């Protein structure tokens, strides 16, 4: 199947979906969401696509889902506005836990796993067919967990999940998927890690203590008169681009820097390189300040309990002028330094607590105006989910967007794949700058 070819339509039974509730009674209460959970920036669903060579019994998947929802019961609840805040625009959310259940849709697609594997590295809009669209008037009306299992002509299957980001982050979603897969493979066993749902450990302090500057946030209006995020979203069509970086490419990029190679991680290297290529492709004013926002796990930094199931990450922020990032320096050295500085800020628990306090102010927003946002899906074990018929042939997002994803490469734990969408008029320039300029290092960037 051509990489640009649209997927066939899904054929649904009638009714197309069922609601799967927990198989046993669950706590009935309203679950407080922390300020990290409740950011407007996270009011969407994380949508994963898995391609498996062999299908698993639908009845078995439903049975194990019903069971895992006993422990992960907030995913069977519904998001509601909190009575704490009456503001229509800045309402706080909570989860109404009544065990209503998750949406489970079934479908058939006239395609094979081999055909789909050719086109899945750079998803196009037709991949949205793989997730049943719940008719809803607003974000709040969509159940926190929506699943579609699509059977294929070859006997394989596609599993697509939409997990509400207000309830959990990438680590939490991976934890849930592994738990569900575990109970599918071994229905007579117990979970090895139980989810911890209490968010009180990340409550703001009684008296707000914002003692640090947090450039990743702004109060309602963008901090810059330039709003690249808005321009890109409203511009011509966006084009998805994908690049795979193996150990040789990463090592070559690291060698350009004066820092000790042992001090530089693969994430820092690929993030700095991607940020620099992104900025160079947009042809910005040299004195413009640009930002790189990236997710950073804080579970150990603030001693969150094992199995913590809320959002246990914050956005780190690297800042630079365009001049320093791409004009004065002809490699990623400067970008690496500011990325590492942004990470070092998070070693101070006071910095993290200051951020939690800041987010109590509902006029505060993530500053996307001149920012590239990177979310790391590699290193989460997402590609190792096994429901009993083997690990997936492919794991990735349902769609591509202007938010950049660092994805795992199935079968190659030492490589990372970058997926991001760029405006059509700059995509070729971005691709040019993303290619590692060393013939010995470059091997396969999957430029689709």
């Amino acid at each position: 199947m051509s990489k640009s070819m649209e997927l066939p339509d899904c054929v649904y039974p009638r009714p197309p979906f069922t609601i799967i509730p927990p198989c046993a009674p669950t706590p009935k209460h309203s679950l407080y969401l922390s300020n990290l959970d409740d950011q407007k920036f996270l009011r969407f669903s994380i949508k994963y696509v898995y391609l498996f060579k062999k299908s698993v019994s639908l009845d078995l998947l439903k049975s194990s889902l019903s069971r895992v929802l006993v422990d992960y019961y907030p995913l069977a609840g519904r998001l509601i506005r909190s009575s704490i805040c009456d503001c229509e625009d800045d309402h706080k959310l909570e989860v109404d836990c009544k065990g209503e259940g998750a949406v489970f849709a079934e479908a058939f697609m006239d395609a094979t796993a081999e055909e789909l594997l050719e086109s899945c590295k750079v998803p196009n809009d037709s991949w949205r067919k793989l997730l049943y669209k719940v008719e809803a008037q607003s974000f709040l009306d969509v159940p926190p967990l929506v699943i579609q299992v699509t059977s294929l002509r070859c006997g394989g299957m596609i599993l697509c999940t939409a997990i509400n980001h207000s309830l959990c982050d990438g680590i939490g979603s991976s934890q849930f998927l592994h738990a569900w897969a575990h109970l599918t493979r071994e229905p007579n066993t117990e979970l090895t890690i139980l989810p911890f749902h209490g968010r009180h450990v990340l409550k703001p302090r009684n008296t707000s203590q914002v003692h640090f500057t947090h450039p990743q946030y702004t109060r309602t209006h963008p901090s810059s008169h330039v709003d690249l995020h808005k321009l890109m979203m409203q511009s011509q069509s966006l084009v998805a681009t994908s690049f795979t970086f193996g150990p040789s490419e990463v090592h070559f990029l690291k060698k350009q820097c004066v820092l000790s190679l042992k001090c530089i991680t693969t994430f820092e290297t690929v993030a700095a390189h991607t940020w620099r290529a992104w900025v160079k492709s947009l042809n910005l004013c040299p004195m413009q300040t640009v930002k790189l926002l990236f997710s950073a796990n804080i579970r150990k930094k603030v001693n969150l309990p094992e199995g913590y199931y809320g959002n246990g990450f914050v956005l780190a922020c690297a800042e630079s002028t365009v001049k320093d990032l791409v004009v004065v320096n002809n490699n990623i050295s400067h970008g690496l330094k500011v990325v590492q500085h942004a990470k070092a800020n998070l070693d101070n628990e006071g910095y993290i607590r200051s951020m939690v306090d800041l987010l109590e102010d509902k006029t505060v927003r993530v500053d996307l105006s001149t920012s590239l946002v990177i979310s790391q899906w590699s290193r989460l074990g997402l590609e190792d989910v096994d429901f009993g018929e083997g690990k997936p042939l492919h794991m990735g997002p349902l769609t591509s967007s202007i938010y950049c994803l660092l994805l795992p490469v199935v079968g190659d734990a030492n490589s990372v794949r970058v997926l991001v969408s760029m405006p059509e008029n700059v995509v070729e320039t971005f691709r040019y700058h993303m290619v590692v300029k060393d013939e010995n290092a470059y091997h396969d960037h999957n430029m689709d």
Side-chain angles (χ1 to χ4, degrees):
M1 184 177 292
S2 168
K3 289 178 180 172
S4 60
M5 183 177 176
E6 288 212 351
L7 298 190
D9 288 338
C10 288
V11 179
Y12 293 95
R14 293 194 178 277
F17 70 89
T18 54
I19 299 294
I20 308 294
C23 67
T26 56
K28 304 293 190 289
H29 64 98
S30 292
L31 177 66
Y32 165 83
L33 295 180
S34 77
N35 286 346
L36 298 183
D37 297 321
D38 196 41
Q39 300 176 76
K40 281 198 171 183
F41 177 65
L42 298 184
R43 293 187 182 181
F44 65 93
S45 293
I46 310 171
K47 297 173 182 175
Y48 299 129
V49 173
Y50 284 91
L51 176 62
F52 292 96
K53 187 175 182 180
K54 293 184 179 180
S55 61
V56 179
S57 161
L58 290 174
D59 287 341
L60 183 57
L61 287 172
K62 291 177 184 176
S63 175
S64 57
L65 177 61
S66 181
R67 184 175 167 197
V68 78
L69 285 176
V70 175
D71 289 306
Y72 287 84
Y73 67 89
L75 289 174
R78 297 295 183 266
L79 279 171
I80 59 172
R81 290 185 176 90
S82 172
S83 58
I84 297 174
C85 180
D86 297 325
C87 307
E88 183 65 24
D89 294 331
D90 298 313
H91 54 265
K92 187 169 179 61
L93 301 182
E94 58 188 37
V95 186
D96 187 21
C97 299
K98 292 181 179 177
E100 293 180 60
V103 172
F104 190 102
E106 305 170 32
F108 172 78
M109 178 175 283
D110 187 16
T112 67
E114 185 178 356
E115 291 170 341
L116 294 173
L117 193 57
E118 285 297 307
S119 62
C120 59
K121 288 179 181 175
V122 184
N124 59 47
D125 284 345
S126 71
W127 281 73
R128 297 178 190 273
K129 299 175 183 179
L130 296 172
L131 181 66
Y132 182 77
K133 186 175 181 180
V134 177
E135 295 297 327
Q137 293 184 339
S138 74
F139 168 78
L140 294 179
D141 298 323
V142 179
L145 178 59
V146 179
I147 294 165
Q148 178 172 317
V149 176
T150 304
S151 301
L152 302 174
R153 186 173 73 239
C154 63
M157 75 171 188
I158 298 172
L159 171 67
C160 190
T161 63
I163 304 173
N164 194 296
H165 209 329
S166 295
L167 271 69
C168 67
D169 54 16
I171 292 175
S173 58
S174 179
Q175 181 181 309
F176 165 74
L177 290 168
H178 276 282
W180 181 21
H182 173 78
L183 293 179
T184 306
R185 293 191 316 270
E186 304 176 48
N188 296 321
T189 58
E190 300 296 327
L191 296 180
T192 54
I193 298 177
L194 293 175
F196 183 91
H197 296 298
R199 272 38 171 208
H200 59 276
V201 288
L202 281 177
K203 274 195 170 183
R205 290 166 287 198
N206 291 332
T207 303
S208 181
Q209 300 175 44
V210 183
H211 296 321
F212 296 84
T213 58
H214 300 286
Q216 56 271 71
Y217 293 103
T218 183
R219 279 184 167 78
T220 305
H221 299 293
S223 61
S224 168
H225 65 279
V226 176
D227 192 341
L228 296 177
H229 179 266
K230 186 176 181 179
L231 289 173
M232 292 175 74
M233 291 298 289
Q234 294 180 349
S235 72
Q236 66 223 271
S237 59
L238 295 170
V239 179
T241 59
S242 175
F243 304 84
T244 299
F245 292 87
S248 57
E249 290 91 350
V250 173
H251 183 71
F252 176 77
L253 289 169
K254 286 181 179 181
K255 283 197 304 181
Q256 300 176 35
C257 306
V258 295
L259 299 171
S260 168
L261 296 187
K262 293 182 180 179
C263 298
I264 308 170
T265 68
T266 295
F267 169 80
E268 292 165 356
T269 304
V270 175
H273 177 67
T274 303
W275 184 29
R276 194 165 179 271
W278 183 82
V279 170
K280 290 181 79 170
S281 70
L282 295 176
N283 194 28
L284 301 172
C285 169
M287 300 315 296
Q288 175 67 53
T289 296
V290 289
K291 300 176 183 179
L292 175 67
L293 309 183
F294 57 93
S295 53
N297 180 19
I298 61 165
R299 283 165 169 78
K300 291 183 179 179
K301 298 180 186 300
V302 293
N303 296 315
L304 295 179
E306 183 184 18
Y308 182 78
Y309 198 67
N311 282 283
F313 82 97
V314 297
L315 285 176
C317 178
E319 287 186 286
S320 173
T321 63
V322 171
K323 180 180 177 181
D324 288 339
L325 189 64
V326 304
V327 179
V328 175
N329 297 278
N330 62 359
N331 58 43
I332 64 170
S333 292
H334 179 73
L336 265 173
K337 288 178 183 177
V338 293
V339 167
Q340 290 185 331
H341 177 72
K343 288 178 68 176
N345 284 335
L346 302 180
D347 291 334
N348 184 341
E349 183 177 348
Y351 182 90
I352 297 170
R353 295 291 178 183
S354 172
M355 193 182 300
V356 172
D357 287 355
L358 173 68
L359 291 172
E360 187 71 1
D361 180 351
K362 294 306 174 185
T363 66
V364 169
R365 302 283 186 269
V366 174
D367 185 6
L368 300 173
S369 58
T370 59
S371 303
L372 173 65
V373 180
I374 291 184
S375 181
Q376 186 175 19
W377 288 16
S378 57
R379 312 288 182 183
L380 300 181
L382 288 164
E383 72 277 21
D384 296 325
V385 171
D386 181 357
F387 286 89
E389 294 293 347
K391 294 180 181 180
L393 301 174
H394 168 79
M395 178 274 149
L398 179 64
T399 57
S400 175
S401 77
I402 62 172
Y403 300 131
C404 179
L405 297 176
L406 266 55
L407 301 167
V409 177
V410 172
D412 188 354
N414 295 316
S415 295
V416 63
R417 185 162 67 91
V418 176
L419 179 67
V420 65
S421 288
M422 296 293 290
E424 193 172 23
N425 67 328
V426 301
V427 69
E428 289 304 325
T429 306
F430 176 70
R431 284 172 171 160
Y432 172 80
H433 291 304
M434 280 294 283
V435 173
V436 175
K437 303 301 189 297
D438 179 68
E439 293 182 0
N440 294 322
Y442 177 76
H443 71 282
D444 177 20
H445 281 280
N446 293 320
M447 293 188 299
D448 302 297

